[in-house]
Amino acid sequence: MGEGKSDLALPLSDLEDYGRRLRSVKTRMNHTKKLFDQYKDDIGDGGVNDALSDFESNWEDGREDITQQLDALADMSDAVVREFNKLENELTKQVNEKMKVEDKREKK
């Protein structure tokens, strides 16, 4: 304290990036069927394609829960960034107003 460093440090850019990365994971996770279908002809082996299809079916069962959790985490991250920015703006406004009052007193 007192050395020009903030008492509270929050990596907002990291949190913003965190929300984007979670949404990216969700998007990629929800496109596994399309990915498997893209390579279906290249794989050629019906057994592999059947296994991938089975995996996709089983994966679909739990995917909704994971998707909801990813959305919730991303939303929380966004909310922290939004609220911290609001707080920082309000504190900056209050400090600036306080500085104006002090400046007026010094001029008298």
Side-chain angles (χ1 to χ4, degrees):
M1 267 178 50
E3 295 178 17
K5 290 186 179 181
S6 159
D7 290 339
L8 175 63
L10 190 62
L12 292 180
S13 61
D14 290 348
L15 279 176
E16 288 170 334
D17 189 45
Y18 182 67
R20 282 191 292 271
R21 287 185 306 183
L22 287 172
R23 288 182 180 92
S24 174
V25 166
K26 181 185 86 167
T27 299
R28 286 181 286 147
M29 181 183 73
N30 286 329
H31 287 93
T32 55
K33 182 169 177 48
K34 287 182 184 179
L35 179 67
F36 292 163
D37 287 346
Q38 264 183 314
Y39 294 103
K40 190 173 189 173
D41 292 335
D42 295 332
I43 294 171
D45 184 350
V48 172
N49 287 321
D50 289 344
L52 289 173
S53 181
D54 288 345
F55 171 81
E56 175 60 31
S57 289
N58 293 332
W59 176 234
E60 194 170 334
D61 295 341
R63 185 179 6 221
E64 185 60 32
D65 290 337
I66 295 169
T67 296
Q68 289 174 357
Q69 291 174 16
L70 289 172
D71 281 336
L73 287 171
D75 290 346
M76 282 187 265
S77 176
D78 292 346
V80 168
V81 171
R82 184 178 54 252
E83 293 303 314
F84 192 85
N85 282 330
K86 277 175 37 179
L87 174 63
E88 185 176 36
N89 289 337
E90 182 59 33
L91 290 174
T92 300
K93 181 181 170 185
Q94 289 176 13
V95 167
N96 288 337
E97 288 173 1
K98 179 78 170 157
M99 296 296 286
K100 287 177 187 177
V101 170
E102 288 177 3
D103 285 347
K104 288 178 184 176
R105 291 181 188 162
E106 289 175 9
K107 292 179 182 180
K108 287 185 180 180

